Amino acid sequence: MTEVLGHRYRGFRLPPVVGDSLLPALLLLNVVTTRAPRELPVAVALTAALVLPLVWRRRAPRTVFGAVAAAAFVQWLMDVPLPADIALLVALHTVAAHADRRGTLIAAAVAEGGALLACLRWATDGAFLTPFVAVSAMVVAAAVLGVNVRTTRAYLAAVEERAARLERERDQRARLAAAEERARITREMHDIVTHNLSVMVALTDAAVYAQHRSPDRATAAMHQVSETGRQALTDMRRSLGILRADEPDGEPAADRHPLPGIAQLEALAGQMRAAGLPTRVEVHGDHGHVPATAQLTVYRLVQESLTNSLTHTPPGTHARVRIRCSTVGDAGAGAGAGTGTITVDVTDSGPGLPGAVPAGHGIPGMRERAAAYGGTLEAGPLPGGGWGVRTRLFLGGGAGASA
């Protein structure tokens, strides 16, 4: 119950103009109740001149301070001491809380001058120093408290602005990460679907062609189609597994569906040979130091290149895959060897048209994969005939998280 009442109390706030009207009302009530009838008109008029401007002090702090200071000077000239002189300190505090340093110093100097004049005229028994020090201390306190309010307000505004900026940057990073993840999944799906469908189409055509002349070969081709389809489903589950919330607990995705890499290139070549594209794979150097993501990039580059060769070349075309892995410090690796590099060369013997580039997302996707490791991809017809894809990946920069 106490907590509920506390929340209600904190949620209830008076309007600023009501709060600013309380002090003038109290000071006017004090004058009305304490002054003699003959002094009442002058005292009420001077008190009203001193305190009523405070109602608008938040809207125009400098103007209100000037009005209060002028009323205080008139009061001093008329030699009428009043408790309402505290209005000058309130107005000074408001100026210090809302104006700049120059305005605060001018207002403080005016208030201090008023304190000096008041003590010179109204100090009792000739005791000037003690009341002057006390009033000066109140002037300094009002100014310092106002400056502290202004500083705190500026600090809170800066904190809120920084929090809003960080929130915008966080949202922007989240959008960029989502876009990058969508691009990664798009590349994966393109490579998986395009490659496996191309292989399945080629195998199906071969099975149809051989079903009467060689039923055994047709049956083997259809078995290979089934195996290729299952492999495609496995690859898609692996690539999309991170998006699923119902994956079994206690069974890492990498253990269920390990990422394909350089070691699986021979199996990929066998798949291409079964589809009608004789393929030879050569791997030079130790690829044990190559990260799994970089090996996946190499695999996808080779897969897409062979898929293009299978799709865009006539029967009888041969393909060759050469992978060179340079370990750290390999003097023969050329530029970038100090950080470790992988060179990928995929060529075929097809009659490729000069300047012809397969349409679609394949080549752009390969360029994006190569760029993730600081490499550039060259794809085009070879001088002696055929088609070639060449790229070099640099492993030292740690790129490729999104490959």
Side-chain angles (χ1 to χ4, degrees):
M1 184 65 179
T2 304
E3 294 180 358
V4 173
L5 291 176
H7 285 299
R8 290 181 178 177
Y9 177 75
R10 286 193 295 270
F12 175 74
R13 291 185 177 180
L14 291 174
V17 67
V18 176
D20 293 340
S21 302
L22 291 178
L23 181 60
L26 292 176
L27 292 174
L28 285 172
L29 181 62
N30 175 265
V31 170
V32 171
T33 57
T34 58
R35 289 286 174 168
R38 59 185 180 83
E39 300 175 353
L40 192 58
V42 175
V44 170
L46 291 175
T47 299
L50 286 168
V51 300
L52 289 182
L54 295 181
V55 176
W56 299 277
R57 64 189 179 92
R58 299 178 193 272
R59 301 179 185 178
R62 295 182 181 180
T63 302
V64 168
F65 179 83
V68 173
F73 184 66
V74 172
Q75 172 208 358
W76 182 81
L77 292 176
M78 297 181 65
D79 194 11
V80 181
L82 293 169
D85 288 333
I86 194 175
L88 190 62
L89 297 177
V90 176
L92 172 62
H93 175 274
T94 305
V95 170
H98 292 85
D100 55 10
R101 180 181 301 179
R102 182 172 178 271
T104 301
L105 290 176
I106 294 175
V110 172
E112 185 64 16
L116 176 62
L117 293 176
C119 291
L120 287 174
R121 171 162 289 185
W122 295 315
T124 58
D125 301 330
F128 167 78
L129 185 60
T130 300
F132 178 71
V133 171
V135 176
S136 297
M138 288 189 289
V139 171
V140 172
V144 170
L145 290 175
V147 170
N148 286 340
V149 170
R150 184 179 75 239
T151 303
T152 302
R153 187 186 299 116
Y155 172 75
L156 292 177
V159 170
E160 291 177 357
E161 192 276 334
R162 182 173 181 271
R165 185 177 69 253
L166 291 176
E167 185 176 358
R168 290 193 300 269
E169 293 175 355
R170 182 199 63 192
D171 294 340
Q172 184 178 12
R173 286 195 299 268
R175 288 192 296 270
L176 291 176
E180 184 178 355
E181 184 63 13
R182 284 195 297 269
R184 184 196 69 81
I185 294 174
T186 301
R187 289 196 301 266
E188 288 292 310
M189 292 300 100
H190 173 271
D191 292 346
I192 293 170
V193 173
T194 302
H195 167 74
N196 288 286
L197 284 181
S198 298
V199 171
M200 292 170 71
V201 169
L203 289 170
T204 304
D205 290 342
V208 172
Y209 179 79
Q211 63 179 339
H212 298 298
R213 299 182 181 182
S214 180
D216 293 340
R217 292 183 60 185
T219 301
M222 293 309 297
H223 281 302
Q224 187 64 36
V225 169
S226 177
E227 180 61 29
T228 302
R230 282 192 291 268
Q231 181 63 40
L233 291 176
T234 299
D235 290 345
M236 292 181 68
R237 290 192 191 101
R238 179 186 58 244
S239 298
L240 299 177
I242 58 174
L243 303 179
R244 296 176 57 87
D246 56 351
E247 291 288 343
D249 295 333
E251 189 177 354
D255 294 341
R256 296 195 304 275
H257 311 301
L259 295 174
I262 296 176
Q264 284 72 43
L265 289 178
E266 189 59 45
L268 176 64
Q271 191 180 52
M272 301 306 296
R273 285 192 290 268
L277 178 67
T279 304
R280 184 175 65 177
V281 175
E282 301 174 8
V283 179
H284 303 280
D286 180 19
H287 59 80
H289 72 287
V290 180
T293 53
Q295 293 204 34
L296 175 63
T297 297
V298 173
Y299 183 90
R300 294 303 186 204
L301 290 174
V302 174
Q303 183 185 55
E304 178 63 25
S305 300
L306 293 178
T307 301
N308 287 337
S309 297
L310 176 66
T311 305
H312 300 285
T313 59
T317 300
H318 292 72
R320 182 181 182 185
V321 178
R322 284 171 292 183
I323 308 296
R324 176 174 174 80
C325 304
S326 66
T327 58
V328 176
D330 188 349
T339 57
T341 61
I342 303 178
T343 302
V344 180
D345 274 301
V346 182
T347 59
D348 64 49
S349 60
L353 299 176
V357 177
H361 300 284
I363 298 297
M366 288 195 290
R367 294 190 192 281
E368 292 175 3
R369 291 183 184 276
Y373 285 90
T376 57
L377 184 134
E378 300 175 2
L382 300 175
W387 183 272
V389 175
R390 177 183 176 85
T391 188
R392 173 173 290 180
L393 310 181
F394 300 92
L395 307 180
S402 62

